[in-house]
Amino acid sequence: MPSVRVRFAPSPTGPLHIGGARSALFNWLFARRYGGTFIVRIEDTDLERSSRRSEENILAALNWLGLDWDEGVQVGGAYGPYRQTERLGLYRRYADILLQKGYAYRCYCTGEELAAEREALLEKGEVRYTGRCRNLTAQDCARLEAEGRKPAIRFRVPEDNVITVNDLVRGKVSFECAGIGDFIIMKSDGIPTYNFAVVVDDHTMEISHVIRAEEHLSNTPRQILLFKVFGWKVPEFAHVSLILGKDRAKMSKRHGATAIEQYREKGYLPEALVNFLALLGWSPGVEEEIISLEELQRQFSLERVAKSPAVFDLDKLNWLNGYYIRQASPDRLASLALPYLEKAGYLSTPLTPEKYEAVKAMTDSVRNYLSCLAEVTEHVKFYFADQIEIEGAEAGEVLSWPEVPAVLSALKEKVAGGGEITETGAKKALKEVGKDLGVKGKKVFMPVRAALTGSVHGPDLNRVMVVMGREKVIKRLAEAIKNI
Ligand code: GLU
């Protein structure tokens, strides 16, 4: 394979979305897999909708996902600048070449004239530009300019051509030029259109493979036409299928969060999202669905990218995230959880070393219950609460069993009579209480758990007792006995 140079070319008109992140990931993986170069180019020619804020959001999200780029904005490179608004002179120069060679012409139609034309054509079921300005003479141009009209530049589409895209994902796709219509390459304000800027950039940046979303497939014949009239090498194309919601409608806000930052805020781990995004349209060809970024770099190929749409399955993302949360070291888990605990008002940072160790033990004890870190507050709530709230009818019912006062009192005695609680100590104490009172295990564990946590479900009880500490355990048991 000739040297691989691929790009992620977002329009900074909003935050980085799931679809964009997947395009970035596939490009990044492709570059890493083949020892190529990954470029980030900012396509900010839509002056009204583009902003630096969106650009920063997109770049921050890429960084967070662990997708570094070799060339582009922020890092520079030999093919820069990498922001389209800083390349306007280049587009103008290439547009002039097309004008001189007759591949493009000046179009003086106003927005209103074009809208009226479109409306009239729509009635006939057509939509393309009729080519009214195609054959203007120099005098026509001078007259129109004297009227104060500013020309746009249109590309002259050769009528009877068929353009075939040999797409690396979709296979052969053909387009009739007759359906395309002469399209604008430079607007009257001197700003290039997407299709033109992208071609000039992909050529001058020596892009070898264009990997992008399927919605750009219909733009591809226009871009190929431009590559051809310039006599430039056409890059390879790979159009990655749409992302649908579970209801098979195109993924939108209706299906849940679409921006990467929203997942970050909820406490999804970058490795979970990367794993999830990789499986949106690509498959490793084996059952195993847990794949690290390192492994993906070794395995990724366009051959395994599916033609059919990918389905966004939030349950799967939650499952993957739960897996990666369980893999995180106790320190990482604690530091990831801290902002949520702080926001919930459970603590304020910086913590003393002892408090930090306590938080680490707490978060570690509930990790199995989390599918994202925002859920941590709910699960560790009982550790922090001054008073336990009995949750649900079941816990109340359990605490009304006749043997409960004796069980709780006996355990309280044991804990009070001993030192700091250890896991084996807690286990032993619970067992002995049952034995001493002639009460079965469940009749001990369930009320003790309800008394300590307010719920009959939750993390390992021995663990809970250790993390809660002797003093609090005694206090909670006493309170529960009093309330019965
Ligand atoms: N700027 C385009 C977008 O954000 C990218 C198009 C391309 O990759 O060619 O959709």
Side-chain angles (χ1 to χ4, degrees), residues 100-136:
Q100 278 158 20
K101 294 193 169 169
Y103 290 123
Y105 58 89
R106 292 189 176 82
C107 169
Y108 294 87
C109 297
T110 62
E112 295 87 68
E113 284 165 352
L114 291 172
E117 181 184 288
R118 207 170 307 129
E119 210 164 297
L121 280 176
L122 265 178
E123 282 171 19
K124 288 194 251 159
E126 283 177 40
V127 278
R128 67 195 195 111
Y129 175 66
T130 51
R132 190 177 0 190
C133 295
R134 237 181 182 218
N135 301 309
L136 296 180

Side-chain angles (χ1 to χ4, degrees), residues 7-13 27 41-43 84 194 198 202 210-213 215-216 219 223:
R7 83 302 192 279
F8 174 53
S11 303
T13 55
N27 277 287
R41 178 173 79 217
I42 299 294
E43 303 204 323
Q84 288 186 329
Y194 158 68
V198 104
D202 285 343
V210 171
I211 305 169
R212 63 184 170 198
E215 62 209 20
H216 287 297
N219 287 318
Q223 295 172 15

Side-chain angles (χ1 to χ4, degrees), residues 292-307:
S292 67
L293 199 52
E294 291 71 46
E295 194 51 40
L296 284 167
Q297 286 177 59
R298 274 193 291 275
Q299 290 193 19
F300 185 80
S301 73
L302 290 171
E303 287 88 64
R304 300 209 67 88
V305 172
K307 261 194 225 175

Side-chain angles (χ1 to χ4, degrees), residues 393-404:
E394 210 184 343
E397 207 267 318
V398 163
L399 285 170
S400 70
W401 291 342
E403 50 281 80
V404 169

Side-chain angles (χ1 to χ4, degrees), residues 390-401 404 442 446-447 449-451 454-458:
I390 300 301
E391 277 173 28
E394 210 184 343
E397 207 267 318
V398 163
L399 285 170
S400 70
W401 291 342
V404 169
K442 193 177 136 196
M446 288 182 78
R449 179 189 290 287
S455 165
V456 288
H457 307 287

